[in-house]
Amino acid sequence: MNTQKVTSFYEADHDRLDGLFRQFQQLKRTEFAKAKQCFKEFKFGLQRHIIWEEEILFPLFEQKTGMTNGGPTHVMRMEHRLIGQYLEAIHERVKRNDPASDSDEQMLLNTLSAHNDKEEQILYPAIDQSLLDAERAKVFETMNSMPEERYNSCC
């Protein structure tokens, strides 16, 4: 049975995604093909991460706490929409092999940084505290069984 904590798993995924995005930024003006590959992995991973949260973690948190309308998951979902807008703006540039996405990248990073901090400091630990080991195992099982086409879309 998987006894890994939601917090540690999702923090590690945040770190992995941050690294991919930094690689994209470092390479986009010198080796665009490599940068594009980093961006594709980043976009794929971020979309998967958001779907995991919205379809698995957030409903579980809401069920456990009774906090739905206007609660922390409501705010996280609104921020996910904003993150998605910035992600798509960068994606449009990447599709055109245009590295001039600095302002959208900065907006994405600013939004993601604050968003991830709230998740890592408040939401994930609250979810971990509320779960039994069997429920936690079910979270990871559900994540692993999600079909890739749900979140694998990029240029």
Side-chain angles (χ1 to χ4, degrees), residues 140-154:
F140 288 106
E141 180 184 312
T142 305
M143 287 166 44
N144 290 329
S145 67
M146 188 165 290
E148 195 173 290
E149 59 271 8
R150 294 285 317 281
Y151 45 79
N152 189 7
S153 63
C154 196

Side-chain angles (χ1 to χ4, degrees), residues 21 24-25 28 39 42 82-94 96 98-112:
F21 196 71
F24 161 72
Q25 289 183 300
K28 72 179 185 171
F39 180 79
F42 170 75
L82 194 56
I83 289 164
Q85 289 171 15
Y86 297 133
L87 187 63
E88 280 308 314
I90 299 165
H91 181 217
E92 286 304 312
R93 298 262 187 188
V94 170
R96 297 190 309 264
D98 177 1
S101 53
D102 294 2
S103 62
D104 288 316
E105 290 169 34
Q106 196 54 56
M107 296 300 289
L108 176 64
L109 288 173
N110 291 346
T111 306
L112 268 178

Side-chain angles (χ1 to χ4, degrees), residues 8-143:
S8 59
F9 177 88
Y10 277 82
E11 282 178 355
D13 201 39
H14 284 166
D15 292 344
R16 182 184 69 80
L17 294 169
D18 291 346
L20 286 168
F21 196 71
R22 275 193 304 276
Q23 283 184 286
F24 161 72
Q25 289 183 300
Q26 290 165 358
L27 295 170
K28 72 179 185 171
R29 286 190 169 82
T30 57
E31 298 180 67
F32 199 82
K34 285 183 182 177
K36 187 174 189 174
Q37 189 55 45
C38 291
F39 180 79
K40 288 171 79 167
E41 277 186 62
F42 170 75
K43 186 174 186 289
F44 167 87
L46 184 56
Q47 290 170 163
R48 177 178 65 186
H49 187 99
I50 288 171
I51 287 174
W52 282 345
E53 288 177 343
E54 291 193 356
E55 295 187 11
I56 302 166
L57 289 187
F58 294 178
L60 192 57
F61 175 82
E62 292 164 351
Q63 174 195 343
K64 293 281 189 176
T65 65
M67 288 190 255
T68 52
N69 296 334
T73 51
H74 175 75
V75 173
M76 296 294 106
R77 284 184 178 99
M78 288 183 357
E79 290 178 0
H80 283 166
R81 302 294 82 72
L82 194 56
I83 289 164
Q85 289 171 15
Y86 297 133
L87 187 63
E88 280 308 314
I90 299 165
H91 181 217
E92 286 304 312
R93 298 262 187 188
V94 170
K95 284 196 295 192
R96 297 190 309 264
N97 294 326
D98 177 1
S101 53
D102 294 2
S103 62
D104 288 316
E105 290 169 34
Q106 196 54 56
M107 296 300 289
L108 176 64
L109 288 173
N110 291 346
T111 306
L112 268 178
S113 177
H115 179 83
N116 291 351
D117 284 347
K118 287 182 272 192
E119 288 179 336
E120 292 176 10
Q121 301 304 313
I122 299 163
L123 194 60
Y124 299 156
I127 290 169
D128 272 325
Q129 261 187 332
S130 72
L131 295 179
L132 303 171
D133 285 346
E135 293 169 316
R136 187 174 296 106
K138 181 71 175 156
V139 164
F140 288 106
E141 180 184 312
T142 305
M143 287 166 44

